[in-house]
Each structure stands twice: as C-alpha cells, then as structure tokens.
Amino acid sequence: MNLAQFLAGRLAKGIVVLFAIAVLNFFLIRAAPGDPAQVLAGEAGAADEQLLIQLRERFGLDQPLLTQLWVYLKGYLTFDLGFSYRQQQTVLSLILDRLPATLLLTGAAFLVSLGLGTLMGALAARRAGRWQDSVITTLALVFYATPLFWVALMSQIVFSLKLGLVPNVGYESIGANYTGLARALDIASHLVLPALTLGLFFTALYARMMRASMLEVAGADFVKTARAKGLSPGVISRRHVARNAILPVVTLAGLQAGQLVGGAVLTETVFAWPGIGRLMFDALVQRDYSVLLGVFFISSAMVVGFNILTDIVYRLADPRIEAVS
C-alpha cells in the first residue's frame, strides 16, 4: 500500500468517525438539563412566556429534534458551525479567534513534555540502577502524581507573585501595545507557566515510557551484536536503542496531542488564557449549545488529524512497519 492509498483510507475512516461523534454530541447536548431560551430570557430580565416562545423560534429550538439534527449536520457539511445566541457571532469566527492561543499553548506544552520527558527517560535508561536513575524516576513520579490545578496555583504564587519572574495570568500585557519582537517576547513570558503546567503530567509519562522501552530494547539480540562488533555505547544507544525505543513514545505523543486541547480547559481557566478551553467552559455555563457542539467537533477533528499524523510518523520512524488498511 503506497502513501496515497494509506492517507485516503485514514481520511475516509476519519470522516466516518467525525460524523458519528457529531451525531453523538448532538444528542448528548440535547439530553443535558437546562433551557438556553430561559437563560437568555433570565439575563434580559423578562422571562415571560411570549419571550421564551420568540427566542425558541429565533434559534430553531422549537423544531423537532430530528429537524434540528438535520440542520446541524447540513451546516457542518459547509463548515457552518452555527450561530452563538450568547455572543451574537458565528461559532466558526469565535473558534478561529480563540484557536491560535490554544494551539500556541498546547504546542508549547507538547514540545516541552516530549523533549524533556524523552531526554529524562533516555538518561535514566543509560544510568539504570544508579542514583541518577533514582532521581529521574522519583521526579517523574512526583510530576505524575501532582494534581494539575495545584501545580498551576503554586507556580503562580512562587514564580510570579513571590519571585516576580513571569506574569501570572493573561495572554499579553494589557495596555502595553507592544509590536513585533517585543510583543512576541511578551506573549512568550506569559506562556511559560501555563505551558510548563500543562506539559508536566505528560513529561512524566514520556520519561517512564522511554526508560522502560530503552531497557527492553537494550537486551535485544541486534544490540548484543552491535556490542560484539565493538561499537561505542553512545553509538549503540543513539543508532540502535533509541531509534527502536521511540515507537511507543510516538504512540503516546499522538494520544497526547489530541488530549491536550481538552486538558487545556483547566489550565486556560486558571491562567486566564483566551483559548477555546475557556470558550467551551463559558458556553457550558451559559447553555450555548452551538458553541459547545462547534468546540467538540473541532477538538474531535484535531484528534483524528493527530492520529493520522502519528501513523505517518510511524512509517518514517520505522520503514519496516507495513501500513495495512
């Protein structure tokens, strides 16, 4: 199977998965308690029956459920994710406004966790049974066991409020009006704490996965042959052990890349980061069904996309892997 056939098969499966997720999300959201018309009418201070009827007619909430499902799916086929009655904007424009901030945060967290975790795991495997191994595995256990919200709050108190090293909340300095490189540095300084907080948990997973995988591969016959040929330990580790041990880490990275968007909800809320995680949380509180469905769909599409990317990386990392449909 060549790469084009492989990608076509993965894309076809991804479309089926997205369709099933879109239908499931629609019924789950509709099954949740709460009436968005009552929320809007209550905020307007005029929750009379006539206003409720007008609001339901305006946003199509008075239509039969299957009719609402058809309108919802038909809109998604043309990338029309609906209209937010709370924000008075299209859902697509709301998500596109927030998506860059979320991608910046999750991308930075992904790079930090993957790079740091893989390095820690490789060092622990090279020093297996020594004090360096004990220190790294203990640190990984602490990272894994520490609740995310506690890390977020403590990092704000220590590194921002006490030491004053980095800003504690926000995407950039309000009113500073930085441009160019100054603005990029300002955003980077605001990114440090949220990215480290979000990436800490997966750093521990990568470290433990890489260590276990390298120790397993180090006992394989082809590694013993490499030692018998007189290759140096560094060459054996880089060319033979690390390359074969990286495949389980690639699998975990694909899963993490999809989960980071969902896991960013808490981090974005604590650090007041203007991403789609906060948008989803606000929409949940306000019963803004269209925004919730739109965010769920985009998040699902990103998970499917990252899984396809992971399969491609598999083929690049180990050409022996034959892609089958």
Side-chain angles (χ1 to χ4, degrees):
M1 178 181 291
N2 58 38
L3 184 60
Q5 292 174 323
F6 166 76
L7 287 177
R10 289 293 187 272
L11 286 175
K13 289 179 180 177
I15 291 172
V16 173
V17 169
L18 286 178
F19 175 78
I21 290 175
V23 173
L24 181 62
N25 285 339
F26 176 83
F27 285 111
L28 287 176
I29 289 294
R30 289 301 189 276
D35 184 353
Q38 290 184 348
V39 174
L40 279 175
E43 291 178 352
D48 57 89
E49 190 60 30
Q50 186 61 33
L51 179 60
L52 289 176
I53 293 174
Q54 291 176 357
L55 288 173
R56 291 190 181 106
E57 288 178 351
R58 180 180 177 186
F59 298 111
L61 298 173
D62 59 335
Q63 298 294 319
L65 196 60
L66 291 180
T67 303
Q68 294 183 43
L69 175 62
W70 168 245
V71 173
Y72 157 72
L73 293 177
K74 189 172 63 175
Y76 274 43
L77 289 176
T78 57
F79 297 101
D80 178 8
L81 304 186
F83 187 81
S84 169
Y85 52 81
R86 184 67 176 78
Q87 307 284 346
Q88 294 297 306
Q89 292 184 46
T90 62
V91 174
L92 186 59
S93 65
L94 280 172
I95 292 176
L96 290 179
D97 285 343
R98 303 291 190 95
L99 192 58
T102 292
L103 290 179
L104 178 63
L105 171 60
T106 56
F110 179 76
L111 292 177
V112 167
S113 58
L114 181 61
L116 184 61
T118 304
L119 180 62
M120 288 174 61
L123 289 176
R126 289 284 302 273
R127 299 289 188 272
R130 302 179 186 177
W131 66 269
Q132 297 95 331
D133 180 27
S134 300
V135 170
I136 291 174
T137 52
T138 303
L139 276 177
L141 182 62
V142 171
F143 292 166
Y144 183 79
T146 306
L148 185 64
F149 70 91
W150 188 87
V151 175
L153 294 175
M154 289 301 106
S155 63
Q156 283 181 320
I157 293 173
V158 174
F159 297 106
S160 181
L161 300 180
K162 294 293 184 183
L163 302 178
L165 297 177
V166 288
N168 61 337
V169 294
Y171 180 75
E172 58 185 322
S173 300
I174 298 175
N177 297 323
Y178 291 128
T179 58
L181 181 61
R183 182 168 185 256
L185 293 175
D186 183 50
I187 294 174
S189 66
H190 285 79
L191 180 64
V192 172
L193 289 184
L196 290 177
T197 301
L198 187 59
L200 208 58
F201 174 79
F202 283 97
T203 298
L205 293 182
Y206 286 132
R208 297 178 71 85
M209 178 71 75
M210 189 67 184
R211 177 184 182 277
S213 184
M214 284 192 68
L215 290 178
E216 181 181 354
V217 174
D221 290 339
F222 65 90
V223 177
K224 295 176 181 176
T225 303
R227 291 196 187 99
K229 289 167 62 179
L231 296 179
S232 66
V235 172
I236 294 174
S237 181
R238 288 194 305 273
R239 294 183 182 177
H240 298 280
V241 178
R243 183 169 183 179
N244 288 279
I246 201 69
L247 291 178
V249 179
V250 172
T251 304
L252 184 61
L255 295 174
Q256 181 210 1
Q259 292 177 354
L260 273 175
V261 176
V265 175
L266 178 61
T267 307
E268 290 182 0
T269 304
V270 173
F271 289 99
W273 191 263
I276 62 173
R278 282 191 64 197
L279 178 67
M280 181 170 62
F281 179 77
D282 294 338
L284 180 64
V285 174
Q286 297 160 355
R287 305 289 194 276
D288 200 340
Y289 291 165
S290 300
V291 174
L292 275 177
L293 289 171
V295 172
F296 289 163
F297 182 79
I298 295 297
S299 301
S300 304
M302 292 177 66
V303 172
V304 171
F306 280 121
N307 280 335
I308 295 175
L309 185 62
T310 303
D311 289 337
I312 295 174
V313 173
Y314 259 138
R315 293 170 61 105
L316 298 177
D318 190 349
R320 295 172 300 177
I321 296 177
E322 181 183 1
V324 295
S325 59

